[in-house]
Amino acid sequence: MSKVALITPITGQDGSYLAELLLKKGYTVHGIGGNVVQLNAGNAGSNFHDKSSDLHIYAHADISTGTARDLLAIIRPDEVYNLGGTGQSPESSDLGDELFSTGEFSALKVLEAIRVLGLETKTRYYHASPSALCGLVNGIAINEMVSLNIYPSWYASAISDFWAIVNYRETFGLYACSGILFNHESPRRSENFVTRKITRSLANITQGLEKCLHLGNLNALRDWGHARDYVKMQWLMLQQDSPEDFVVATGVQYTVRQFVTFAALELGIKLRFTGKGVEERGIITAIISPVAAALKVGDVVVAVDPRYIRPAEACEVSANPTKARRKLGWAPETSLQDMVIEMVQADLACAKKAARLKLYG
Ligand code: GDP
C-alpha cells in the first residue's frame, strides 16, 4: 500500500517540489489549490501529469464550502504537509491576509481534525513556519532554542500555529512538528521575493526588455538555500521516531548586493557599485559574454529605490542548522552559485522568448 500525503497548498514553489519528491517515492498525493494545468503553467519544470493517477488536486473553490475535517475524513492521509505559513514577502499585496488570517487550514483546525477523527496514531503533521516568526532578530544565528523564545513579530497567525503544534504534540501526543525554514529560492520563486526579482530583471535587461533593476537594502544579509533541498528536509522530519522542530538553512549568509553580482556575472556582466545608501548604483565595467552584447560599459543597471526599503525588518538574518545535520543527516546539496545559475538561465530563456515575441509580434 502506498503512503497517502496531503499537501496544502500544492501550487506554490514548495508544494510543487514536494509533490514531485513524494510522487517519486511512490506516494499517492492529494493537493489543495489550483489544478494540474495551472500547476504546470505556473511552475516551470514541474511535470505532474506524467503520474496523474497518483495525484489528486482540489481547487480552492471545491473546498471553500467544506472543512479541513471533511477532507481529512475522506483522504485519511498518513502525512499532512501544511505549507501555508511559508511566508509572503512584505512587497506582496496579500500581506494582511498572511499576517493575520486563521483560515480553514490553520494548524489548529487541522490538528483538531486529526484528533477528532481519531487519526492521532496514523496521521503525521508537518507545518512550515516562516523564519520571520522569530521577529526582528539581527545577527544571532537562530537555532531551535531561539525560535522558542519568539521575539516580537508581525507574524501573528504563524506564532499561534507554532504554539498550537507544541500543545497538540505535548498534550495529545500527536506527531506534529514545525520546520523553521529560512529563505529558500528557485526558478519557481515568486517575483515578490528579491532573488527572483533580481534574476528576472537582469535577464530582461540583457534582452532589452527593462532598463534598470530597482532594489531596496543592498546590505541585507540572508541565508538562501534551494527549495528542492528544503522539501527533502520536510519529508525527513515526518520519518523520525518522534516529532521535533527543526531549523532549516544553509548556515551561510550573503548580501543582496552579492546575489546581484553573481546573477550579473552569469549573464556576462561585471558590475561596480558606487555611491552610498539611496544613491548607490550598479554600473557595468565589462561585458564578458555575448548574452549581454546589447549593453555597454558605463550603463547603470542597478539603482536603489527608497520605496523598497522596509521600515522594520531583520537586516542580518543568520541561522544555525546544526541540529538538522546532526540528527537527520541533512545538508543542502545546491550551492548558492549553482542556484543562481539555474534561476538566471530559466529567466533568460523566458526573456529571450519575450524579446522574440516583441520583435515579431
Ligand atoms: P524575506 O527575507 O522573507 O523578507 O525575503 P525577500 O526576498 O522578500 O527579502 C530578502 C531581503 O532582500 C530583505 O532584507 C529585503 O529588505 C531585501 N530587499 C532589497 N531590495 C528588495 C526588493 O526590491 N524586494 C524584496 N522583496 N526584498 C528586497
Side-chain angles (χ1 to χ4, degrees):
M1 279 283 283
S2 72
K3 275 194 182 174
V4 176
L6 171 65
I7 303 175
T8 178
I10 198 171
T11 22
Q13 168 186 263
D14 292 15
S16 64
Y17 279 118
L18 182 61
E20 284 170 358
L21 177 77
L22 298 183
L23 288 169
K24 230 182 266 162
K25 288 185 183 295
Y27 279 62
T28 297
V29 174
H30 296 259
I32 297 174
N35 57 44
V36 178
V37 176
Q38 280 176 331
L39 277 170
N40 285 324
N43 289 304
S46 63
N47 205 7
F48 291 113
H49 56 261
D50 283 352
K51 295 205 76 187
S52 54
S53 58
D54 294 332
L55 180 67
H56 308 271
I57 305 285
Y58 308 86
H60 278 299
D62 293 341
I63 57 157
S64 59
T65 50
T67 63
R69 194 187 302 176
D70 295 338
L71 198 61
L72 288 178
I74 298 165
I75 298 172
R76 298 180 64 79
D78 298 289
E79 296 170 11
V80 174
Y81 294 89
N82 194 342
L83 312 179
T86 300
Q88 195 53 267
S89 156
E91 277 70 25
S92 164
S93 54
D94 297 334
L95 184 63
D97 276 358
E98 170 61 27
L99 297 183
F100 298 109
S101 80
T102 48
E104 189 50 46
F105 282 83
S106 67
L108 184 62
K109 290 221 173 141
V110 178
L111 291 167
E112 183 58 10
I114 291 172
R115 193 183 71 81
V116 168
L117 291 168
L119 295 171
E120 297 101 315
T121 54
K122 175 177 171 64
T123 304
R124 295 183 167 201
Y125 179 79
Y126 168 83
H127 193 92
S129 291
S131 55
L133 170 87
C134 304
L136 298 180
V137 184
N138 267 304
I140 302 174
I142 295 167
N143 63 13
E144 293 74 9
M145 294 315 292
V146 176
S147 72
L148 286 170
N149 278 305
I150 301 215
Y151 282 64
S153 165
W154 286 102
Y155 285 74
S157 61
I159 292 173
S160 80
D161 283 339
F162 183 86
W163 288 113
I165 291 158
V166 173
N167 279 319
Y168 273 76
R169 186 163 71 208
E170 290 179 358
T171 310
F172 300 114
L174 262 66
Y175 192 116
C177 49
S178 286
I180 299 164
L181 271 58
F182 283 73
N183 302 53
H184 47 293
E185 323 291 312
S186 75
R188 303 180 194 177
R189 188 58 143 158
S190 126
E191 289 147 24
N192 292 326
F193 290 89
V194 76
T195 55
R196 184 74 201 293
K197 179 174 170 181
I198 292 167
T199 57
R200 184 171 182 271
S201 186
L202 288 178
N204 282 345
I205 289 169
T206 65
Q207 301 308 305
L209 299 169
E210 281 179 48
K211 287 247 169 292
C212 185
L213 163 63
H214 295 271
L215 293 169
N217 182 3
L218 296 176
N219 293 315
L221 274 169
R222 286 291 183 274
D223 180 321
W224 283 295
H226 197 302
R228 199 172 39 224
D229 294 341
Y230 285 33
V231 300
K232 288 184 191 152
M233 182 64 195
Q234 296 176 332
W235 174 78
L236 270 177
M237 284 178 66
L238 292 194
Q239 315 307 315
Q240 306 309 306
D241 291 339
S242 51
E244 283 182 68
D245 300 329
F246 284 89
V247 161
V248 186
T250 69
V252 183
Q253 297 167 285
Y254 293 91
T255 62
V256 170
R257 189 184 298 99
Q258 283 173 306
F259 194 100
V260 172
T261 306
F262 294 146
L265 269 180
E266 177 59 16
L267 289 160
I269 302 166
K270 277 194 175 172
L271 287 179
R272 180 168 55 91
F273 285 88
T274 61
K276 281 219 159 27
V278 293
E279 303 301 328
E280 187 165 351
R281 300 285 178 268
I283 299 170
I284 298 181
T285 56
I287 305 287
I288 53 173
S289 150
V291 173
L295 302 172
K296 57 183 190 315
V297 170
D299 283 354
V300 174
V301 287
V302 184
V304 172
D305 183 331
R307 281 178 306 169
Y308 298 116
I309 297 178
R310 298 175 187 167
E313 72 156 350
C315 296
E316 294 181 20
V317 170
S318 156
N320 177 356
T322 308
K323 181 178 166 188
R325 260 169 228 198
R326 190 170 34 85
K327 287 205 156 174
L328 305 190
W330 177 87
E333 289 164 29
T334 317
S335 68
L336 182 92
Q337 283 75 8
D338 285 345
M339 183 175 79
V340 169
I341 292 171
E342 192 184 327
M343 292 176 71
V344 165
Q345 290 305 331
D347 279 325
L348 183 60
C350 292
K352 283 183 172 169
K353 216 185 274 174
R356 270 198 304 274
L357 280 175
K358 202 172 156 200
L359 196 63
Y360 300 114

